[in-house]
Amino acid sequence: MNKVLSQCLTTPFKFSLSSLSISHHHHHAPRSFLRRFSLGATSIRAMTSHIVGYPRMGPKRELKFALESFWDGKTSADELKQVAANLRSAIWKQMADAGIQHIPSNTFSYYDQVLDTTAMLGAVPDRYSWKGGEIGFDVYFSMARGNASVPAMEMTKWFDTNYHFIVPELGPDVKFSYASHKAVDEYKEAKALGVNTVPVLVGPVSYLLLSKPAKGVEKSFSLLSLIDKILPVYKEVVTELKAAGATWIQFDEPTLVKDLDAHQLQAFDYAYAELESTLSGLDVLIETYFADVPAEAYKTLTSLKAVTAYGFDLVRGTKTLDLIKQGFPSGKLLFAGIVDGRNIWANNLEASLNTLQTLGDIVGKDKVVVSTSCSLLHTAVDLVNETKLDQEIKSWLAFAAQKIVEVNALARALSGQKDEAYFSSNAFALASRKSSPRVTNEAVQKAAATLKGSDHRRVTNVSSRLATQQKKLNLPILPTTTIGSFPQTADLRRVRREFKAKKISEEDYINFIKEEINNVVKIQEELDIDVLVHGEPERNDMVEYFGEQLSGFAFTANGWVQSYGSRCVKPPIIYGDVSRPKPMTVFWSSTAQSLTKRPMKGMLTGPVTILNWSFVRDDQPRFETCYQIALAIKDEVEDLEKAGITVIQIDEAALREGLPLRKSEEAFYLNWAVHSFRITNCGVQDTTQIHTHMCYSNFNDIIHSIIDMDADVITIENSRSDEKLLSVFREGVKYGAGIGPGVYDIHSPRIPPTEEIADRIKKMLAVLESNILWVNPDCGLKTRKYTEVKPALTNLVDAVKLIRNQLTSTK
């Protein structure tokens, strides 16, 4: 085993939040260490390695806790900055010790890298009343999170990942100015520690393409028309970086992987030609990721004069290899993203080395730099902190810290210094994964293979099913319901924790949860809600709860990944064929139904959402894994029906999240995703009402796929996205199933007045028939307090009764 590796695995870098725990001598790195970093593109390149970016949260979520403590007023800005500095220096040292040449800086962020760019450009919306000068935490965090008097900027998904960025709001009157020196400060900070880094900036064209016109600005406003206003700030930043001693600079331009038109591609030509004289003397890398670069964009990119090197994602962008084979500009460097930044599996080192050697034959061996496919931000931090995973599964994995070692080992092997022991232990782990009986389940494989022949539709069409269901359910017009979860109190979370830690007996736990369900049922009956939920007190998370009861899933103790700001998620790992050993929710749902005469919804998470919110096995196509999960959920749906549950909700919150970045690939994904949903409920009787729920997404472009899911009722987040959803129906899309567009935003503590909700319902009735309309909140109520939920739901029911009276009096 390679010495660096064994060191990495046995001596995790130790953090203490109060003090910088790098031992003293690293502040004065030996000269050879410094010299190795300061060589430019012209130097001899025995083996070079690069990391696109690295997770910021820390191996034990140190940054999360420091941020939340600062926001709560418990710690000072200086204490937060100290934690951040400790994390950054630890990361730089870790990469330097592993032998990485091109170490990134400015990929750290207190919230989000696009927001950092907005701060760098001084593009602060007027409502934050920023007075100029260097942007501090107050303005920065107000943009990210809002404050007592103004709302936050919009947040949206970063390409097709589960990370979210803060969307810049731009218009013709924005006055750009160099207002955050973070990129230069962090470069200097690393240099003082003896590490000459590659400063990373979000590229100017991607920044504009990821922005939106500010409120009051014409929707048709061309964001790219601002390029001449932002380039002067970029020039100032580059000039300062050069003066500070930078020899490389990395511009992230991930929008190059999307479908761009000629005008958008031209903006890249223009921007980098404008920057050329400022960049002279620097090695310039343009980094792309998340998909292959289309042929036209490849042509544009590789003809940029100011650029020394191009970074490509060769994990999700395998077609880029063909473009490189057809031609690569001579004398330029290829940063080959061969180690997956978005999943947790160990790299297939032999296969990667073959690819790298092939690339070396095309562009010249000394022109290939081994890199990650994208920033490691999207993967877990360090396998060393894993206590829950067993050794076998652990041997199949690599988190960010291990991926650094893989990159270095590949770079050394490419230059003829192959570490045979490391490569053979990797081959051994891959072989064990391939042959492990835990991975393959013949029965599941067979069942999934037979699915291909049918499209799994329910026999009767939705309008006649709704009529049959109404006879049985006998619901009033405009039925009311909630989305699933009720507030989770500190007490409830404590009891779940204690049960998990075996501090209380199963009997005590069950009694506590039953009592909780009983309260939730009582509250809903008192409020006079029509279709009830049990409140999900037994569930920690809508994916983890199911994954823990399905075979083929593993769970980490510390495999956290940043979702936005300080919020992290811990995705399950799907390593093998998925099946359901026994019923998962039937006990709780039937317990809840026994407490009331009103219909009680069974609550399940759908297969596509479970897939999109997990780390998915990479040894078979994603859709095959999805079909397996669908079959497991189908078993559960049918068991709920047998237990007398007549309304079953199968949430597909993340259906749209898996949408590919290219138009041409959308149909294939939507086809299998929607098919997976239909598989779950194709076997139920007409009298069983199937609901689904979707949140925060722009559905207008996939409304036909949503209709094709063929659910009886769909509840959709609506109030927070300015009722964009209703515009679809205004444009004449015919929708025959039940639909419940959310009438109040549960992500805010605000209690909407009755009139406001009534007003929303009226707007809906203008475009939707009263016999298919449902009334419900936007999303689950788990994060709210009862003091907010009770009055809000009271107003919701009052509003519905008001409208019902108006409807009956006008008939």
Side-chain angles (χ1 to χ4, degrees), residues 13-24 26-27 82 85-87 89-90 93:
F13 190 79
K14 291 196 175 51
F15 280 99
S16 82
L17 290 190
S18 53
S19 68
L20 192 53
S21 55
I22 292 186
S23 60
H24 195 68
H26 287 287
H27 291 274
Q82 188 57 57
N86 294 351
L87 284 167
S89 61
K93 177 183 184 301

Side-chain angles (χ1 to χ4, degrees), residues 192-204:
L193 295 168
V195 186
N196 189 12
T197 56
V198 178
V200 179
L201 300 174
V202 174

Side-chain angles (χ1 to χ4, degrees), residues 205-227:
V205 185
S206 289
Y207 178 77
L208 293 176
L209 291 174
L210 292 165
S211 303
K212 66 171 191 178
K215 257 208 166 85
V217 174
E218 288 298 312
K219 282 279 173 276
S220 59
F221 172 70
S222 161
L223 293 156
L224 288 175
S225 67
L226 299 171
I227 194 82

Side-chain angles (χ1 to χ4, degrees), residues 459-470:
V459 184
T460 332
N461 74 22
V462 70
S463 348
S464 61
R465 293 197 311 258
L466 285 170
T468 310
Q469 290 155 12
Q470 179 53 16

Side-chain angles (χ1 to χ4, degrees), residues 280-468:
S280 85
L282 278 176
D283 282 316
V284 179
L285 164 65
I286 292 193
E287 186 60 61
T288 66
Y289 36 76
F290 300 148
D292 48 80
V293 175
E296 282 307 305
Y298 181 82
K299 217 186 312 187
T300 301
L301 178 58
T302 51
S303 56
L304 300 176
K305 278 201 198 61
V307 179
T308 323
Y310 311 101
F312 298 113
D313 180 336
L314 300 179
V315 176
R316 283 180 180 239
T318 44
K319 291 182 196 145
T320 308
L321 283 171
D322 300 333
L323 293 173
I324 295 168
K325 285 173 188 161
Q326 285 159 30
F328 187 79
S330 70
K332 303 280 170 118
L333 300 176
L334 171 62
F335 279 57
I338 196 89
V339 171
D340 191 352
R342 284 182 61 170
N343 217 328
I344 39 65
W345 304 106
N347 190 278
N348 182 335
L349 296 177
E350 277 305 340
S352 294
L353 186 56
N354 276 337
T355 302
L356 292 165
Q357 282 163 340
T358 306
L359 290 169
D361 294 342
I362 300 164
V363 307
K365 203 183 210 165
D366 61 333
K367 298 287 186 278
V368 177
V369 178
V370 182
S371 185
T372 54
S373 65
C374 61
S375 172
L376 297 174
L377 172 70
H378 308 288
T379 190
V381 182
D382 194 344
L383 208 45
V384 163
N385 302 311
E386 279 317 317
T387 44
K388 275 174 81 167
L389 294 169
D390 60 80
Q391 275 320 110
E392 185 183 24
I393 287 183
K394 223 167 158 174
S395 73
W396 304 340
L397 307 179
F399 290 0
Q402 287 68 44
K403 288 175 189 288
I404 289 175
V405 179
E406 290 181 335
V407 166
N408 184 63
L410 285 165
R412 290 180 63 102
L414 189 61
S415 69
Q417 301 167 287
K418 185 175 174 189
D419 183 333
E420 294 295 351
Y422 181 62
F423 269 68
S424 63
S425 79
N426 169 263
F428 180 79
L430 293 176
S432 107
R433 183 177 159 205
K434 208 171 176 173
S435 61
S436 171
R438 297 167 69 177
V439 171
T440 313
N441 178 330
E442 290 298 331
V444 173
Q445 292 272 353
K446 250 199 206 105
T450 59
L451 294 173
K452 309 251 186 342
S454 153
D455 63 357
H456 300 91
R457 288 179 191 279
R458 288 171 78 177
V459 184
T460 332
N461 74 22
V462 70
S463 348
S464 61
R465 293 197 311 258
L466 285 170
T468 310

